[in-house]
């Protein structure tokens, strides 16, 4: 790799602070739900290209609430972003939008608990999410389970790894700062 290729590697664009959940550990300020102005999103994508960003992640709040999400992703692809990701809670994935999600190299889904454990943060979330895993697998979309560790689940790291394998997914861990 040439030195001129080095620099900014990853950029996360929080396109909205709106969300369909209210997780107690979330850092997103939801007091005034809004979407980032489209011109700002396009400006950030252009800046990512100019700075040789290799991984661009659309996040939120819940980015699937943003009506322009797929337009932004198409723009980023056309501009030359090589690795494009979506970080979502997954609840809004459905038959209507899953095909459009193929534009992303990976879907990163939030997960905090395992089957047969007491729900710790999101009630009945996992039962719904497992249906989304199936939908992603059926559509051959790579997905990663993004686990925020907390005092109730941090001892379960090996179990999360096994669960992810069973689901046909990768797993990554984020440390919760109390």
């Amino acid at each position: 790799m040439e030195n001129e290729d080095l620099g900014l590697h990853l950029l996360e664009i929080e396109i909205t602070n709106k969300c369909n959940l209210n997780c107690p550990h979330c850092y997103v300020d939801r007091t005034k739900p809004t979407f980032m102005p489209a011109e700002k999103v396009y400006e950030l994508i252009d800046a990512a290209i100019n700075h040789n960003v290799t991984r661009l992640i659309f996040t939120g709040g819940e980015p699937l609430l943003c009506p322009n999400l797929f337009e932004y992703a198409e723009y980023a692809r056309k501009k030359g972003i090589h690795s494009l990701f979506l970080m979502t809670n997954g609840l809004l994935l459905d038959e209507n939008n899953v095909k459009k999600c193929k534009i992303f190299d990976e879907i990163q889904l939030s997960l905090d608990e395992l089957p047969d454990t007491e729900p710790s943060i999101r009630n009945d979330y996992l039962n719904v999410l497992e249906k989304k895993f199936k939908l992603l697998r059926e559509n051959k979309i790579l997905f990663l389970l993004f686990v925020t560790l907390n005092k109730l689940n941090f001892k379960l790291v090996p179990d999360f790894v096994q669960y992810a394998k069973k689901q046909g997914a990768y797993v990554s861990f984020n440390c919760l700062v109390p």
Side-chain angles (χ1 to χ4, degrees):
M1 181 180 292
E2 299 289 323
N3 279 344
E4 62 210 36
D5 293 334
L6 299 176
L8 187 59
H9 166 67
L10 180 142
L11 178 65
E12 289 187 16
I13 302 177
E14 186 178 295
I15 59 176
T16 183
N17 65 347
K18 290 181 90 167
C19 191
N20 53 334
L21 292 176
N22 191 20
C23 304
H25 64 278
C26 185
Y27 63 86
V28 175
D29 180 7
R30 295 178 303 274
T31 54
K32 293 182 183 176
T34 187
F35 298 104
M36 182 180 286
E39 59 276 359
K40 187 65 172 174
V41 176
Y42 291 122
E43 181 183 316
L44 289 168
I45 294 169
D46 289 340
I49 294 294
N50 293 335
H51 288 91
N52 298 318
V53 167
T54 58
R55 293 174 58 112
L56 181 64
I57 301 173
F58 290 107
T59 186
E62 175 48 56
L64 285 169
L65 288 170
C66 180
N68 299 334
L69 169 65
F70 297 107
E71 292 170 30
Y72 298 150
E74 288 173 17
Y75 180 82
R77 278 285 186 227
K78 286 178 186 168
K79 285 295 208 165
I81 292 290
H82 298 291
S83 296
L84 196 56
F85 299 84
L86 175 65
M87 187 177 291
T88 175
N89 63 40
L91 296 180
L92 299 176
L93 288 169
D94 60 26
E95 292 290 339
N96 296 321
N97 63 20
V98 73
K99 301 273 191 253
K100 291 179 182 178
C101 285
K102 289 185 175 197
I103 194 166
F104 297 105
D105 295 292
E106 182 178 273
I107 308 289
Q108 300 174 353
L109 297 149
S110 302
L111 181 73
D112 303 300
E113 58 200 46
L114 292 164
D116 303 322
T117 59
E118 193 67 33
S120 60
I121 294 174
R122 303 173 181 120
N123 289 330
D124 202 37
Y125 177 70
L126 186 58
N127 290 328
V128 175
L129 203 56
E130 284 185 340
K131 293 174 187 162
K132 309 305 179 172
F133 300 160
K134 183 176 188 260
L135 184 63
L136 291 168
R137 283 191 307 269
E138 289 171 350
N139 285 276
K140 297 179 176 41
I141 297 174
L142 184 67
F143 63 101
L144 173 134
L145 306 181
F146 195 74
V147 179
T148 298
L149 295 175
N150 60 59
K151 65 183 178 182
L152 300 173
N153 71 7
F154 77 96
K155 293 180 180 176
L156 300 174
V157 167
D159 298 321
F160 279 111
V161 172
Q162 288 306 311
Y163 180 73
K165 284 181 182 180
K166 180 180 170 193
Q167 295 302 323
Y170 293 101
V171 66
S172 183
F173 297 94
N174 182 34
C175 292
L176 176 64
V177 179

